[in-house]
Amino acid sequence: MKKLILLFVVLYNVNISAQNQEYSIIVKDIETLEPIQNATVIIMKTQQILLSNEEGKVTFMLTGGSNVQVSETNYEDITVRWTSLNGDQKFVIYLKSKNNKLDEVVLSKESQDKILQKLVNNSTKKISISHRQKVYVREFFMMNNQYSYYNDGLVNFQFDKNNNATTLLVEQNRSYGLLEADVSPDLRGYNLNNIMENYSNFKYFDPLLDSKSKKEYDFSIKGHSKNKDYYVMSVTPLDKAKEAIDNFEIVYDPEKKLIIEFEITVTPLNLDKVEEKTGNGDKNLTKSYVKVAYRWDGNDYYFLSSNEEVAYDLIAKDKPKKNIQVRNSFVTTEFTKQNFTYSDSDVFKEKSLFNKKNKILTNYWDLSGFTATEEEKAIIASLEFKM
């Protein structure tokens, strides 16, 4: 009997091992052999969505085999058959640049601000269907150029079209590092519900949709330099602008009238125009960067990923000013139109994962849709040690 039990345990473990294996993919440019960041990798069998990191790398768990679909705005889409990968657990997929090189100015009878208004209206309409997204969230916090805190989590956002609201449930999360006691709570992370709603209703474009925007910004449209199907709208502050400091670059599909991605930056030159504040608790911006991507899969249009960085000097009475930097990343790993059931007690109502006790059931961060680079892993490990 003991031998039979031992045999069963051995066979069971072998079976589990055979069923679940971890795989890695590196996405590279076929000509330069450089890694491609922010390439979207879809595991066709499970429909899991992955995003390549700075090293061009994604990792995932898979039972058996699956074809893999890879896409990036500047490259030709490719679907790779699992059999061509020879069953290797680590392999490289090469993408070919579209090399369209068409960046001519686009002429239109309609004003650019009106075009943007239509893009925002149509994109909001397409994205606002009731749906659920599983999203991996992570956040690095720096004080005076030293990493002080880190959190990440696997969360579910449920969008209710009728009430135009989101419900947030946290599956797993972890927080590492210690902050000084006198750092105010509003510095401890982004409001997850607010930021996700901003991505869905394109709140970032409000300054450009204001009736006074033409007095503050210059609009121009060109063909995308590498993708003939897309246009790029650039919006920059005028020299005479009184308030505008953000530079916008918006990639969109002129046929579908959908925003594909946008980037917002503040140049040092524009920051120099902002009058410095000196009051206790004031914040003087030193850096601001936002990049958000969306996905159209032929049926659904939804938020895909984001990276945000903000830095500012915090003025404190009778103390040296502190430089605060927060770097936040989102990546959608699953999208579905099916709702989930939950009780009110399950809903996460705090602003940030900073406020939630650690709940670690699996190594979800290794298979989250976004793979940490070696440098990022070292930062996280150093903060974990503090705990």
Side-chain angles (χ1 to χ4, degrees):
M1 180 61 71
K2 290 182 179 179
K3 291 181 179 180
L4 286 174
I5 293 174
L6 179 60
L7 178 62
F8 173 79
V9 171
V10 170
L11 290 175
Y12 177 79
N13 288 332
V14 169
N15 186 48
I16 292 296
S17 177
Q19 287 180 347
N20 282 310
Q21 291 192 61
E22 180 177 315
Y23 295 91
S24 296
I25 294 175
I26 305 293
V27 185
K28 291 187 176 184
D29 185 302
I30 196 170
E31 295 179 356
T32 66
L33 302 183
E34 292 295 320
I36 299 173
Q37 185 179 6
N38 294 330
T40 302
V41 180
I42 309 294
I43 309 305
M44 303 298 287
K45 182 178 182 179
T46 61
Q47 287 301 298
Q48 184 182 8
I49 305 167
L50 311 168
L51 202 68
S52 62
N53 62 18
E54 293 176 10
E55 299 164 350
K57 185 178 182 180
V58 299
T59 58
F60 57 98
M61 294 291 289
L62 187 64
T63 301
S66 171
N67 292 347
V68 177
Q69 187 181 78
V70 186
S71 61
E72 204 279 338
T73 302
N74 300 314
Y75 293 84
E76 295 180 0
D77 296 352
I78 185 173
T79 299
V80 181
R81 293 183 178 276
W82 191 256
T83 52
S84 68
L85 301 173
N86 298 321
D88 291 339
Q89 289 179 253
K90 295 181 180 180
F91 47 86
V92 180
I93 292 179
Y94 297 95
L95 298 186
K96 182 179 180 182
S97 174
K98 291 182 177 178
N99 284 327
N100 201 48
K101 296 183 179 178
L102 294 176
D103 58 354
E104 295 93 344
V105 174
V106 175
L107 301 177
S108 174
K109 294 180 181 179
E110 191 171 25
S111 63
Q112 287 96 336
D113 58 322
K114 296 297 182 184
I115 292 174
L116 179 59
Q117 180 70 69
K118 289 185 177 180
L119 286 171
V120 170
N121 289 343
N122 190 59
S123 297
T124 303
K125 180 181 177 181
K126 290 287 187 182
I127 210 171
S128 64
I129 60 170
S130 295
H131 65 276
R132 174 165 55 95
Q133 288 178 252
K134 188 185 295 290
V135 177
Y136 174 67
V137 180
R138 68 175 190 172
E139 190 170 54
F140 290 91
F141 185 102
M142 295 180 71
M143 184 159 29
N144 296 329
N145 296 314
Q146 294 292 322
Y147 283 98
S148 306
Y149 181 74
Y150 173 83
N151 71 52
D152 68 11
L154 198 59
V155 302
N156 282 286
F157 289 93
Q158 183 161 296
F159 293 77
D160 184 347
K161 179 180 180 180
N162 296 326
N163 296 319
N164 194 28
T166 61
T167 301
L168 172 61
L169 278 73
V170 179
E171 286 190 11
Q172 300 186 62
N173 67 287
R174 60 177 177 167
S175 299
Y176 295 138
L178 300 173
L179 294 172
E180 295 179 16
D182 61 346
V183 177
S184 59
D186 65 310
L187 302 180
R188 298 173 179 175
Y190 290 83
N191 186 316
L192 297 182
N193 267 313
N194 283 359
I195 195 172
M196 198 64 174
E197 289 178 0
N198 289 344
Y199 294 150
S200 299
N201 60 24
F202 299 88
K203 189 75 174 177
Y204 292 85
F205 296 131
D206 281 1
L208 307 183
L209 303 178
D210 187 276
S211 58
K212 300 177 182 178
S213 63
K214 283 195 170 183
K215 295 180 181 180
E216 295 281 310
Y217 294 96
D218 175 59
F219 292 75
S220 65
I221 300 177
K222 291 185 177 181
H224 195 285
S225 62
K226 292 186 177 180
N227 193 322
K228 62 181 178 60
D229 296 323
Y230 296 154
Y231 287 168
V232 180
M233 178 182 291
S234 298
V235 187
T236 55
L238 295 167
D239 291 337
K240 61 180 181 180
K242 296 180 180 180
E243 298 180 4
I245 60 172
D246 292 320
N247 293 276
F248 294 78
E249 185 172 277
I250 305 157
V251 178
Y252 67 96
D253 186 321
E255 294 295 324
K256 296 182 177 67
K257 293 182 173 54
L258 292 176
I259 294 171
I260 304 302
E261 63 183 41
F262 67 84
E263 185 173 291
I264 307 172
T265 56
V266 178
T267 64
L269 182 62
N270 287 336
L271 281 176
D272 289 341
K273 298 177 183 178
V274 181
E275 184 177 350
E276 186 172 353
K277 301 174 184 177
T278 58
N280 184 48
D282 283 340
K283 304 170 188 175
N284 291 306
L285 189 69
T286 58
K287 182 179 182 180
S288 179
Y289 173 80
V290 179
K291 185 170 184 178
V292 183
Y294 299 86
R295 183 165 190 260
W296 169 255
D297 66 3
N299 296 303
D300 301 305
Y301 174 69
Y302 54 90
F303 160 81
L304 178 62
S305 64
S306 67
N307 286 290
E308 295 204 28
E309 294 183 47
V310 62
Y312 47 84
D313 290 329
L314 177 65
I315 307 301
K317 187 178 181 180
D318 301 325
K319 293 181 180 179
K321 65 182 179 182
K322 296 177 182 177
N323 182 254
I324 306 296
Q325 299 178 55
V326 184
R327 180 158 55 97
N328 180 287
S329 300
F330 279 30
V331 58
T332 295
T333 183
E334 290 182 22
F335 174 90
T336 177
K337 293 178 183 177
Q338 295 179 348
N339 292 336
F340 51 70
T341 56
Y342 58 89
S343 62
D344 190 61
S345 60
D346 294 328
V347 178
F348 183 67
K349 299 177 181 178
E350 300 288 345
K351 290 183 178 180
S352 166
L353 291 178
F354 182 95
N355 304 306
K356 184 168 175 58
K357 184 179 179 181
N358 286 6
K359 180 183 178 181
I360 302 174
L361 304 176
T362 64
N363 290 355
Y364 64 88
W365 49 87
D366 287 335
L367 306 163
S368 59
F370 191 82
T371 305
T373 63
E374 294 305 315
E375 179 184 7
E376 289 166 342
K377 289 178 181 177
I379 294 169
I380 296 167
S382 68
L383 295 173
E384 181 182 8
F385 177 75
K386 287 185 178 181
M387 299 298 287

